[in-house]
Amino acid sequence: MKVLMIGAGRDVKGGVSTVVNQYYEAHLDEKTDLKYIATMRDGGKLRKGLVAAKALAEFRSCINDYDIVHVHMASRASFYRKSQFIKMAKKHGKKIIIHMHGAQFDIFYDNECNERQKKWVRDIFSLADAVIALSEEWKEFLSKICDPQKIIVLYNSVKIPEFHRENYDDGKVLFLGRLGKRKGTYDLISAISEIAKRVPQVHFYFGGDGEIGKCKEMCVQQGIQNNVTFLGWVSGEEKEKWLQESSTYVLPSYNEGMPMSLLEAMSYGDVVISTRVGGISKVIENKSNGYLFNAGDVQELIEIMTEALTFESRKEVGEKAYMTIKNKFNIENNIASLLELYESVLRGGYFLNNIFILIANIEERFPLGCTRRAA
């Protein structure tokens, strides 16, 4: 299968690049004839514009050599940028798959687009042969924009690390992502003082870019600077190091698709705390393989984090988290479903029921909440 894939550069900070890098780690490039074109890289507007223009020229030069165009899309600028590629692919008679990652695409469409722009969104999605949603909740929303029969739910997935956690008493809590309101960073900082009173050994590690200066200032104002370390953006081996060293992971987001950082933390057996947004509730079963609370509720965050840090069966929760990822969100299962989707699209029709049957069979074989095998 000849697949031309486009999306953010593989070194860009964010979930799309993590998904794409997971594909390469799972050898998707060996299972298909795959070419990846980066349509965006970190930097200022001028650099981003030049990268997009160069990507479009490269796309135009090679599109006739490929059969499927797999588009990783988010909202706002990402949508408008990818629209040009999608229209060009359609003109060349290519099969098109839109892979929707945008954690705020609903806000973008419902609140930020005027009627003309909403029609533009619907027109672009109508050109797709298939649309990948990250959860059932996102499928429901995307059904407002395009034909529901085109939409398949394909959860994000990760490679299972060769790591077995034994220590759950380190008191280290890790956060990964862009620091700011959307990720709930300010709520977390507001909760730390009370959490530290209840769990004196606790220490929070923030790995990410964004509003670092504002977050540091908040910590000083609240007198919690000794309980917090800012790591800056971490990736690769450094990220793996912190996932291994921290037995607790927190992501108090207001908007998400299906966050890769959460799946990665669970794959390391971390005790995870997150919110009931996006597809997160499809991953976490509250107080079984992790903890859930309502986004923005700082007091509930305090209570649930206190429980998560002191619960006697923390190890059991972490091991269930690991087995959830191993059985249901394993990159190997994801790649198998993706390859089936490619084949179905190439056969000239989108055999949605067959895809759902395949995924249902995988979930039946590997149910949520299994206990981890002894190492």
Side-chain angles (χ1 to χ4, degrees), residues 13-19 22 134 156-159 161 165 174-178 182-183 207-208 233-235 239-240 242-244 246 248-253 255-274 280 283-284 321 325:
K13 301 167 183 175
V16 172
S17 58
T18 304
V19 169
Q22 288 282 343
L134 299 185
N156 281 341
S157 302
V158 296
K159 182 179 179 180
R165 184 176 301 286
L174 182 65
F175 167 97
L176 295 174
R178 183 152 291 167
R182 185 177 78 80
K183 291 287 186 178
W233 188 268
V234 295
S235 59
K239 180 171 67 173
E240 293 174 6
W242 285 107
L243 286 168
Q244 290 179 21
S246 306
T248 306
Y249 182 81
V250 59
L251 186 68
S253 298
N255 310 97
E256 288 291 352
M258 181 161 288
M260 292 294 289
S261 65
L262 183 72
L263 302 182
E264 289 176 316
M266 293 176 72
S267 76
Y268 279 83
D270 287 2
V271 175
V272 295
I273 302 102
S274 194
I280 292 174
V283 188
I284 299 177
I325 303 303

Short mmCIF file of all heavy atoms in Angstrom, two decimals, residues 13-19 22 134 156-159 161 165 174-178 182-183 207-208 233-235 239-240 242-244 246 248-253 255-274 280 283-284 321 325:
data_model
loop_
_atom_site.label_atom_id
_atom_site.label_comp_id
_atom_site.label_asym_id
_atom_site.label_seq_id
_atom_site.Cartn_x
_atom_site.Cartn_y
_atom_site.Cartn_z
N LYS A 13 6.63 19.68 19.24
CA LYS A 13 6.12 19.36 20.58
C LYS A 13 4.62 19.17 20.52
O LYS A 13 3.88 20.12 20.22
CB LYS A 13 6.47 20.50 21.54
CG LYS A 13 7.97 20.77 21.65
CD LYS A 13 8.25 22.07 22.37
CE LYS A 13 9.75 22.37 22.42
NZ LYS A 13 10.04 23.69 23.00
N GLY A 14 4.16 17.96 20.80
CA GLY A 14 2.72 17.73 20.78
C GLY A 14 2.34 16.30 20.50
O GLY A 14 3.19 15.45 20.20
N GLY A 15 1.02 16.05 20.58
CA GLY A 15 0.52 14.69 20.48
C GLY A 15 0.59 14.09 19.10
O GLY A 15 0.82 12.88 18.95
N VAL A 16 0.41 14.91 18.04
CA VAL A 16 0.43 14.36 16.69
C VAL A 16 1.79 13.76 16.37
O VAL A 16 1.89 12.65 15.83
CB VAL A 16 0.06 15.44 15.65
CG1 VAL A 16 0.26 14.91 14.23
CG2 VAL A 16 -1.39 15.89 15.84
N SER A 17 2.86 14.48 16.69
CA SER A 17 4.19 13.96 16.43
C SER A 17 4.44 12.69 17.23
O SER A 17 5.10 11.76 16.74
CB SER A 17 5.26 15.01 16.76
OG SER A 17 5.18 15.42 18.11
N THR A 18 3.89 12.61 18.44
CA THR A 18 4.04 11.40 19.24
C THR A 18 3.34 10.23 18.57
O THR A 18 3.88 9.11 18.52
CB THR A 18 3.47 11.61 20.66
OG1 THR A 18 4.10 12.74 21.26
CG2 THR A 18 3.72 10.38 21.53
N VAL A 19 2.13 10.45 18.05
CA VAL A 19 1.40 9.39 17.34
C VAL A 19 2.20 8.91 16.14
O VAL A 19 2.38 7.70 15.92
CB VAL A 19 0.02 9.90 16.89
CG1 VAL A 19 -0.64 8.91 15.93
CG2 VAL A 19 -0.89 10.14 18.09
N GLN A 22 5.21 6.92 17.07
CA GLN A 22 4.80 5.57 17.49
C GLN A 22 4.58 4.68 16.26
O GLN A 22 4.92 3.51 16.27
CB GLN A 22 3.52 5.64 18.33
CG GLN A 22 3.70 6.21 19.72
CD GLN A 22 4.31 5.21 20.70
OE1 GLN A 22 4.31 4.01 20.46
NE2 GLN A 22 4.83 5.71 21.80
N LEU A 134 -10.94 9.82 17.70
CA LEU A 134 -10.14 9.21 18.76
C LEU A 134 -10.99 8.57 19.85
O LEU A 134 -10.46 7.87 20.70
CB LEU A 134 -9.22 10.26 19.39
CG LEU A 134 -8.19 10.89 18.45
CD1 LEU A 134 -7.25 11.81 19.24
CD2 LEU A 134 -7.38 9.83 17.71
N ASN A 156 -5.93 6.21 20.15
CA ASN A 156 -4.48 6.32 20.16
C ASN A 156 -3.88 5.14 20.92
O ASN A 156 -4.53 4.57 21.82
CB ASN A 156 -4.04 7.63 20.82
CG ASN A 156 -4.18 8.82 19.89
OD1 ASN A 156 -4.26 8.67 18.68
ND2 ASN A 156 -4.21 10.01 20.46
N SER A 157 -2.67 4.78 20.59
CA SER A 157 -2.01 3.63 21.22
C SER A 157 -0.52 3.90 21.35
O SER A 157 0.02 4.80 20.69
CB SER A 157 -2.23 2.36 20.38
OG SER A 157 -3.61 2.10 20.22
N VAL A 158 0.13 3.12 22.20
CA VAL A 158 1.56 3.31 22.44
C VAL A 158 2.29 1.97 22.46
O VAL A 158 1.68 0.92 22.66
CB VAL A 158 1.81 4.05 23.78
CG1 VAL A 158 1.25 5.45 23.75
CG2 VAL A 158 1.22 3.26 24.96
N LYS A 159 3.58 2.05 22.29
CA LYS A 159 4.43 0.88 22.41
C LYS A 159 4.60 0.55 23.89
O LYS A 159 4.77 1.44 24.73
CB LYS A 159 5.79 1.17 21.78
CG LYS A 159 6.76 0.01 21.81
CD LYS A 159 8.08 0.39 21.14
CE LYS A 159 9.08 -0.76 21.19
NZ LYS A 159 10.37 -0.39 20.55
N PRO A 161 6.58 -0.38 27.02
CA PRO A 161 7.99 -0.32 27.40
C PRO A 161 8.46 -1.58 28.12
O PRO A 161 7.65 -2.30 28.72
CB PRO A 161 8.05 0.89 28.34
CG PRO A 161 6.68 0.94 28.95
CD PRO A 161 5.73 0.47 27.87
N ARG A 165 7.36 -1.57 37.10
CA ARG A 165 7.42 -0.72 38.29
C ARG A 165 7.21 -1.54 39.57
O ARG A 165 6.29 -2.33 39.65
CB ARG A 165 6.34 0.37 38.20
CG ARG A 165 6.42 1.36 39.37
CD ARG A 165 5.42 2.48 39.23
NE ARG A 165 5.60 3.23 38.00
CZ ARG A 165 6.57 4.09 37.78
NH1 ARG A 165 7.51 4.29 38.70
NH2 ARG A 165 6.66 4.73 36.62
N LEU A 174 4.12 13.45 38.20
CA LEU A 174 4.58 14.00 36.93
C LEU A 174 3.40 14.59 36.15
O LEU A 174 2.31 14.02 36.12
CB LEU A 174 5.25 12.90 36.11
CG LEU A 174 5.83 13.29 34.74
CD1 LEU A 174 6.98 14.27 34.90
CD2 LEU A 174 6.30 12.03 33.99
N PHE A 175 3.65 15.74 35.51
CA PHE A 175 2.73 16.34 34.55
C PHE A 175 3.51 16.56 33.27
O PHE A 175 4.63 17.09 33.29
CB PHE A 175 2.21 17.68 35.09
CG PHE A 175 1.50 18.53 34.05
CD1 PHE A 175 0.13 18.51 33.94
CD2 PHE A 175 2.23 19.35 33.19
CE1 PHE A 175 -0.52 19.29 32.98
CE2 PHE A 175 1.60 20.13 32.24
CZ PHE A 175 0.22 20.10 32.13
N LEU A 176 2.92 16.18 32.13
CA LEU A 176 3.56 16.41 30.83
C LEU A 176 2.58 17.13 29.92
O LEU A 176 1.43 16.73 29.79
CB LEU A 176 3.98 15.08 30.18
CG LEU A 176 5.05 14.26 30.89
CD1 LEU A 176 5.23 12.92 30.18
CD2 LEU A 176 6.38 15.02 30.92
N GLY A 177 3.06 18.18 29.27
CA GLY A 177 2.20 18.90 28.33
C GLY A 177 2.50 20.39 28.37
O GLY A 177 3.38 20.86 29.10
N ARG A 178 1.78 21.12 27.57
CA ARG A 178 1.97 22.58 27.49
C ARG A 178 1.31 23.24 28.69
O ARG A 178 0.10 23.11 28.91
CB ARG A 178 1.39 23.10 26.18
CG ARG A 178 1.58 24.58 25.93
CD ARG A 178 1.63 24.86 24.45
NE ARG A 178 2.85 24.34 23.85
CZ ARG A 178 3.04 24.22 22.54
NH1 ARG A 178 2.09 24.58 21.70
NH2 ARG A 178 4.18 23.74 22.07
N ARG A 182 -5.67 25.30 29.37
CA ARG A 182 -6.34 24.15 28.75
C ARG A 182 -5.93 22.84 29.39
O ARG A 182 -6.75 21.93 29.55
CB ARG A 182 -6.06 24.09 27.25
CG ARG A 182 -6.84 22.97 26.57
CD ARG A 182 -6.64 22.94 25.09
NE ARG A 182 -5.39 22.36 24.68
CZ ARG A 182 -5.17 21.03 24.60
NH1 ARG A 182 -6.11 20.17 24.95
NH2 ARG A 182 -4.01 20.57 24.19
N LYS A 183 -4.67 22.73 29.79
CA LYS A 183 -4.20 21.49 30.41
C LYS A 183 -4.46 21.45 31.92
O LYS A 183 -4.07 20.50 32.59
CB LYS A 183 -2.70 21.33 30.16
CG LYS A 183 -2.33 21.04 28.71
CD LYS A 183 -2.70 19.62 28.30
CE LYS A 183 -2.20 19.28 26.91
NZ LYS A 183 -2.52 17.89 26.52
N GLY A 207 6.76 18.80 33.24
CA GLY A 207 7.53 18.67 32.03
C GLY A 207 6.76 19.25 30.86
O GLY A 207 5.80 18.63 30.39
N GLY A 208 7.16 20.42 30.40
CA GLY A 208 6.45 21.03 29.29
C GLY A 208 6.87 22.48 29.06
O GLY A 208 7.54 23.07 29.90
N TRP A 233 10.47 21.36 28.41
CA TRP A 233 9.92 20.31 27.56
C TRP A 233 10.82 19.09 27.60
O TRP A 233 12.04 19.20 27.43
CB TRP A 233 9.78 20.80 26.12
CG TRP A 233 9.05 19.80 25.26
CD1 TRP A 233 9.60 18.80 24.52
CD2 TRP A 233 7.64 19.70 25.10
NE1 TRP A 233 8.61 18.07 23.89
CE2 TRP A 233 7.40 18.60 24.23
CE3 TRP A 233 6.55 20.42 25.60
CZ2 TRP A 233 6.11 18.22 23.86
CZ3 TRP A 233 5.27 20.04 25.22
CH2 TRP A 233 5.06 18.96 24.37
N VAL A 234 10.24 17.92 27.83
CA VAL A 234 11.02 16.68 27.87
C VAL A 234 10.51 15.74 26.78
O VAL A 234 9.31 15.68 26.50
CB VAL A 234 10.95 15.99 29.25
CG1 VAL A 234 11.60 16.84 30.32
CG2 VAL A 234 9.51 15.67 29.64
N SER A 235 11.42 15.03 26.16
CA SER A 235 11.06 14.08 25.11
C SER A 235 12.11 12.99 25.06
O SER A 235 13.16 13.08 25.72
CB SER A 235 10.95 14.77 23.75
OG SER A 235 12.18 15.39 23.40
N LYS A 239 12.16 11.89 28.68
CA LYS A 239 10.77 11.63 29.05
C LYS A 239 10.62 10.23 29.63
O LYS A 239 9.92 10.04 30.64
CB LYS A 239 9.86 11.80 27.84
CG LYS A 239 8.39 11.55 28.16
CD LYS A 239 7.47 11.93 27.01
CE LYS A 239 7.63 11.05 25.82
NZ LYS A 239 6.61 11.34 24.77
N GLU A 240 11.25 9.25 29.02
CA GLU A 240 11.21 7.89 29.53
C GLU A 240 11.75 7.82 30.95
O GLU A 240 11.21 7.12 31.81
CB GLU A 240 11.99 6.96 28.61
CG GLU A 240 11.37 6.79 27.22
CD GLU A 240 12.25 5.98 26.29
OE1 GLU A 240 13.28 5.46 26.76
OE2 GLU A 240 11.91 5.88 25.09
N TRP A 242 11.71 10.18 33.27
CA TRP A 242 10.77 10.72 34.25
C TRP A 242 9.54 9.84 34.39
O TRP A 242 8.96 9.75 35.49
CB TRP A 242 10.40 12.15 33.87
CG TRP A 242 11.52 13.11 34.18
CD1 TRP A 242 12.34 13.74 33.29
CD2 TRP A 242 11.96 13.50 35.48
NE1 TRP A 242 13.27 14.50 33.96
CE2 TRP A 242 13.05 14.37 35.31
CE3 TRP A 242 11.53 13.21 36.77
CZ2 TRP A 242 13.72 14.95 36.38
CZ3 TRP A 242 12.19 13.78 37.85
CH2 TRP A 242 13.27 14.64 37.65
N LEU A 243 9.12 9.18 33.34
CA LEU A 243 8.00 8.25 33.45
C LEU A 243 8.37 7.06 34.32
O LEU A 243 7.53 6.51 35.04
CB LEU A 243 7.58 7.77 32.06
CG LEU A 243 6.81 8.79 31.21
CD1 LEU A 243 6.71 8.33 29.76
CD2 LEU A 243 5.41 9.03 31.78
N GLN A 244 9.61 6.65 34.29
CA GLN A 244 10.07 5.55 35.13
C GLN A 244 10.22 5.99 36.59
O GLN A 244 9.91 5.24 37.51
CB GLN A 244 11.41 5.02 34.62
CG GLN A 244 11.33 4.27 33.31
CD GLN A 244 12.67 3.78 32.83
OE1 GLN A 244 13.61 3.65 33.60
NE2 GLN A 244 12.79 3.51 31.53
N SER A 246 8.67 8.49 38.23
CA SER A 246 7.47 9.03 38.89
C SER A 246 6.36 7.99 38.87
O SER A 246 5.94 7.55 37.81
CB SER A 246 7.01 10.30 38.18
OG SER A 246 8.06 11.24 38.07
N THR A 248 3.28 8.47 39.93
CA THR A 248 1.97 9.09 39.81
C THR A 248 2.01 10.08 38.65
O THR A 248 2.99 10.79 38.46
CB THR A 248 1.57 9.82 41.10
OG1 THR A 248 1.67 8.91 42.21
CG2 THR A 248 0.15 10.35 41.02
N TYR A 249 0.93 10.12 37.88
CA TYR A 249 0.84 11.04 36.75
C TYR A 249 -0.50 11.77 36.81
O TYR A 249 -1.53 11.15 37.06
CB TYR A 249 0.94 10.27 35.43
CG TYR A 249 0.89 11.18 34.22
CD1 TYR A 249 2.02 11.85 33.79
CD2 TYR A 249 -0.31 11.39 33.54
CE1 TYR A 249 1.98 12.71 32.70
CE2 TYR A 249 -0.36 12.24 32.45
CZ TYR A 249 0.78 12.90 32.03
OH TYR A 249 0.73 13.75 30.97
N VAL A 250 -0.48 13.09 36.58
CA VAL A 250 -1.71 13.87 36.63
C VAL A 250 -1.84 14.71 35.37
O VAL A 250 -0.87 15.31 34.90
CB VAL A 250 -1.76 14.76 37.91
CG1 VAL A 250 -0.58 15.73 37.95
CG2 VAL A 250 -3.09 15.50 37.99
N LEU A 251 -3.06 14.73 34.81
CA LEU A 251 -3.37 15.52 33.63
C LEU A 251 -4.77 16.12 33.82
O LEU A 251 -5.77 15.52 33.43
CB LEU A 251 -3.32 14.66 32.37
CG LEU A 251 -3.48 15.41 31.05
CD1 LEU A 251 -2.27 16.31 30.78
CD2 LEU A 251 -3.69 14.44 29.89
N PRO A 252 -4.86 17.33 34.42
CA PRO A 252 -6.18 17.91 34.75
C PRO A 252 -6.78 18.75 33.64
O PRO A 252 -7.28 19.85 33.86
CB PRO A 252 -5.84 18.75 35.98
CG PRO A 252 -4.41 19.17 35.78
CD PRO A 252 -3.74 18.10 34.96
N SER A 253 -6.79 18.24 32.40
CA SER A 253 -7.15 19.01 31.21
C SER A 253 -8.63 19.38 31.15
O SER A 253 -9.50 18.66 31.64
CB SER A 253 -6.79 18.22 29.96
OG SER A 253 -5.42 17.99 29.87
N ASN A 255 -9.78 20.11 27.86
CA ASN A 255 -10.10 19.58 26.52
C ASN A 255 -9.03 18.58 26.12
O ASN A 255 -7.84 18.83 26.30
CB ASN A 255 -10.13 20.70 25.47
CG ASN A 255 -10.96 21.89 25.88
OD1 ASN A 255 -10.43 22.86 26.37
ND2 ASN A 255 -12.26 21.81 25.67
N GLU A 256 -9.44 17.44 25.58
CA GLU A 256 -8.50 16.45 25.08
C GLU A 256 -9.15 15.64 23.97
O GLU A 256 -10.38 15.57 23.88
CB GLU A 256 -8.03 15.49 26.19
CG GLU A 256 -7.09 16.09 27.21
CD GLU A 256 -5.70 16.41 26.66
OE1 GLU A 256 -5.41 16.01 25.50
OE2 GLU A 256 -4.91 17.05 27.38
N GLY A 257 -8.32 15.02 23.14
CA GLY A 257 -8.79 14.00 22.23
C GLY A 257 -8.64 12.67 22.95
O GLY A 257 -9.53 12.21 23.67
N MET A 258 -7.48 12.06 22.79
CA MET A 258 -7.08 10.93 23.61
C MET A 258 -5.58 11.13 23.87
O MET A 258 -4.76 10.79 23.02
CB MET A 258 -7.35 9.59 22.95
CG MET A 258 -6.95 8.41 23.82
SD MET A 258 -7.72 6.86 23.34
CE MET A 258 -9.41 7.10 23.86
N PRO A 259 -5.23 11.73 25.00
CA PRO A 259 -3.86 12.21 25.22
C PRO A 259 -2.82 11.10 25.25
O PRO A 259 -2.92 10.15 26.03
CB PRO A 259 -3.94 12.93 26.56
CG PRO A 259 -5.16 12.39 27.22
CD PRO A 259 -6.11 12.04 26.13
N MET A 260 -1.81 11.25 24.40
CA MET A 260 -0.74 10.26 24.32
C MET A 260 0.05 10.18 25.62
O MET A 260 0.47 9.11 26.03
CB MET A 260 0.19 10.61 23.16
CG MET A 260 -0.44 10.45 21.79
SD MET A 260 -0.82 8.73 21.41
CE MET A 260 0.84 8.06 21.17
N SER A 261 0.25 11.33 26.28
CA SER A 261 1.03 11.32 27.52
C SER A 261 0.37 10.47 28.59
O SER A 261 1.04 9.78 29.38
CB SER A 261 1.24 12.74 28.04
OG SER A 261 0.00 13.34 28.41
N LEU A 262 -0.96 10.47 28.63
CA LEU A 262 -1.69 9.65 29.60
C LEU A 262 -1.50 8.17 29.30
O LEU A 262 -1.24 7.37 30.21
CB LEU A 262 -3.17 10.02 29.55
CG LEU A 262 -4.06 9.30 30.56
CD1 LEU A 262 -3.81 9.84 31.96
CD2 LEU A 262 -5.54 9.46 30.18
N LEU A 263 -1.60 7.80 28.02
CA LEU A 263 -1.39 6.40 27.64
C LEU A 263 0.03 5.96 27.97
O LEU A 263 0.25 4.84 28.45
CB LEU A 263 -1.67 6.22 26.15
CG LEU A 263 -3.06 6.61 25.63
CD1 LEU A 263 -3.17 6.30 24.15
CD2 LEU A 263 -4.15 5.90 26.41
N GLU A 264 0.99 6.84 27.71
CA GLU A 264 2.39 6.50 28.00
C GLU A 264 2.59 6.30 29.49
O GLU A 264 3.26 5.34 29.91
CB GLU A 264 3.31 7.62 27.49
CG GLU A 264 3.40 7.66 25.97
CD GLU A 264 4.22 8.82 25.47
OE1 GLU A 264 4.05 9.95 25.99
OE2 GLU A 264 5.04 8.63 24.56
N ALA A 265 2.02 7.18 30.32
CA ALA A 265 2.17 7.04 31.77
C ALA A 265 1.57 5.72 32.25
O ALA A 265 2.15 5.02 33.08
CB ALA A 265 1.50 8.22 32.47
N MET A 266 0.41 5.36 31.73
CA MET A 266 -0.23 4.11 32.12
C MET A 266 0.60 2.91 31.67
O MET A 266 0.66 1.89 32.36
CB MET A 266 -1.63 4.04 31.56
CG MET A 266 -2.58 5.07 32.16
SD MET A 266 -4.24 5.09 31.40
CE MET A 266 -4.92 3.55 32.05
N SER A 267 1.25 3.03 30.52
CA SER A 267 2.08 1.92 30.03
C SER A 267 3.28 1.67 30.94
O SER A 267 3.86 0.58 30.91
CB SER A 267 2.55 2.18 28.59
OG SER A 267 3.60 3.13 28.54
N TYR A 268 3.66 2.68 31.73
CA TYR A 268 4.74 2.52 32.70
C TYR A 268 4.21 2.11 34.07
O TYR A 268 4.96 2.05 35.04
CB TYR A 268 5.53 3.82 32.83
CG TYR A 268 6.55 4.00 31.72
CD1 TYR A 268 6.19 4.53 30.49
CD2 TYR A 268 7.89 3.63 31.91
CE1 TYR A 268 7.11 4.69 29.47
CE2 TYR A 268 8.82 3.79 30.89
CZ TYR A 268 8.42 4.32 29.68
OH TYR A 268 9.35 4.47 28.67
N GLY A 269 2.92 1.83 34.16
CA GLY A 269 2.33 1.40 35.42
C GLY A 269 2.10 2.52 36.40
O GLY A 269 1.93 2.28 37.60
N ASP A 270 2.06 3.77 35.92
CA ASP A 270 1.81 4.90 36.82
C ASP A 270 0.37 4.89 37.31
O ASP A 270 -0.54 4.44 36.61
CB ASP A 270 2.06 6.22 36.10
CG ASP A 270 3.54 6.50 35.87
OD1 ASP A 270 4.36 5.66 36.23
OD2 ASP A 270 3.85 7.58 35.33
N VAL A 271 0.16 5.40 38.52
CA VAL A 271 -1.18 5.70 39.00
C VAL A 271 -1.57 7.04 38.39
O VAL A 271 -0.91 8.05 38.61
CB VAL A 271 -1.21 5.78 40.54
CG1 VAL A 271 -2.60 6.21 41.02
CG2 VAL A 271 -0.82 4.44 41.14
N VAL A 272 -2.63 7.05 37.58
CA VAL A 272 -2.97 8.24 36.80
C VAL A 272 -4.23 8.91 37.32
O VAL A 272 -5.17 8.25 37.76
CB VAL A 272 -3.12 7.90 35.30
CG1 VAL A 272 -1.79 7.44 34.72
CG2 VAL A 272 -4.19 6.84 35.08
N ILE A 273 -4.22 10.25 37.25
CA ILE A 273 -5.36 11.08 37.64
C ILE A 273 -5.64 12.01 36.48
O ILE A 273 -4.74 12.73 36.03
CB ILE A 273 -5.08 11.91 38.91
CG1 ILE A 273 -4.70 10.99 40.07
CG2 ILE A 273 -6.28 12.77 39.26
CD1 ILE A 273 -3.22 10.95 40.36
N SER A 274 -6.88 12.03 35.98
CA SER A 274 -7.21 12.92 34.89
C SER A 274 -8.69 13.28 34.94
O SER A 274 -9.38 12.97 35.92
CB SER A 274 -6.84 12.30 33.54
OG SER A 274 -6.85 13.27 32.51
N ILE A 280 -10.89 10.29 27.43
CA ILE A 280 -10.18 9.80 28.62
C ILE A 280 -10.98 8.75 29.37
O ILE A 280 -10.43 7.77 29.88
CB ILE A 280 -9.79 10.98 29.53
CG1 ILE A 280 -8.72 11.84 28.84
CG2 ILE A 280 -9.28 10.50 30.88
CD1 ILE A 280 -8.34 13.11 29.58
N VAL A 283 -10.44 5.22 28.58
CA VAL A 283 -9.16 4.63 29.01
C VAL A 283 -9.18 4.33 30.50
O VAL A 283 -8.78 3.26 30.94
CB VAL A 283 -7.98 5.58 28.69
CG1 VAL A 283 -6.65 4.89 28.96
CG2 VAL A 283 -8.04 6.09 27.27
N ILE A 284 -9.67 5.29 31.27
CA ILE A 284 -9.64 5.17 32.74
C ILE A 284 -11.01 4.76 33.27
O ILE A 284 -12.02 5.40 32.98
CB ILE A 284 -9.21 6.50 33.39
CG1 ILE A 284 -7.80 6.90 32.94
CG2 ILE A 284 -9.26 6.38 34.91
CD1 ILE A 284 -7.35 8.23 33.49
N ALA A 321 -3.57 -0.28 35.21
CA ALA A 321 -3.32 0.73 34.18
C ALA A 321 -2.41 0.15 33.10
O ALA A 321 -2.66 0.29 31.90
CB ALA A 321 -2.68 1.97 34.80
N ILE A 325 -3.36 -0.70 28.92
CA ILE A 325 -2.63 -0.26 27.73
C ILE A 325 -2.12 -1.46 26.94
O ILE A 325 -2.24 -1.52 25.71
CB ILE A 325 -1.45 0.66 28.12
CG1 ILE A 325 -1.97 1.86 28.91
CG2 ILE A 325 -0.70 1.11 26.88
CD1 ILE A 325 -3.03 2.67 28.19
#
